[in-house]
């Protein structure tokens, strides 16, 4: 079962990540970053966000977000993703 605190953070970060348009993202895809943040419960976590081509380059973009308690706990983290459709 996914930790609700990590899940809430992942969902929030995904909603922010999806504010970028396909047009803007297509210029930088594939791209990703990892940064430190504080979960809703105040825990220090790492957030990983990736934009990758869902299938063929120039098509739909898959946005993936993972939130976890550090590298050794990556597998216990929360993961969410959504497709950004090519217009």
């Amino acid at each position: 079962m996914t930790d609700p605190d990590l899940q809430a953070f992942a969902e929030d970060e995904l909603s922010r990540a999806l504010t970028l348009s396909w047009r803007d993202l297509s210029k930088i895809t594939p791209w990703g970053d990892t940064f430190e943040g504080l979960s809703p419960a105040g825990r220090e976590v790492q957030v990983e966000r990736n934009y990758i081509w869902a299938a063929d380059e120039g098509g739909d973009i898959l946005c993936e977000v993972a939130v976890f308690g550090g590298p050794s706990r990556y597998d216990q983290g929360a993961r969410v993703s959504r497709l950004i459709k090519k217009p």
Side-chain angles (χ1 to χ4, degrees):
M1 180 174 196
T2 303
D3 181 314
D5 183 42
L6 298 180
Q7 187 69 36
F9 196 123
E11 291 287 345
D12 183 60
E13 183 58 32
L14 180 62
S15 69
R16 293 170 196 236
L18 295 173
T19 62
L20 299 170
S21 72
W22 182 93
R23 180 183 216 85
D24 291 338
L25 289 172
S26 68
K27 298 173 188 173
I28 62 168
T29 298
W31 180 82
D33 67 341
T34 302
F35 57 93
E36 294 179 1
L38 288 177
S39 73
R43 294 165 42 196
E44 291 184 16
V45 296
Q46 289 190 314
V47 180
E48 182 178 274
R49 181 177 48 181
N50 296 299
Y51 297 100
I52 59 175
W53 297 113
D56 298 323
E57 185 173 335
D60 296 340
I61 298 170
L62 180 63
C63 178
E64 302 174 320
V65 173
V67 178
F68 49 98
S72 66
R73 294 183 298 274
Y74 183 82
D75 291 338
Q76 290 82 39
R79 286 166 195 70
V80 293
S81 63
R82 294 262 174 15
L83 203 57
I84 301 167
K85 295 281 198 177
K86 181 178 181 178

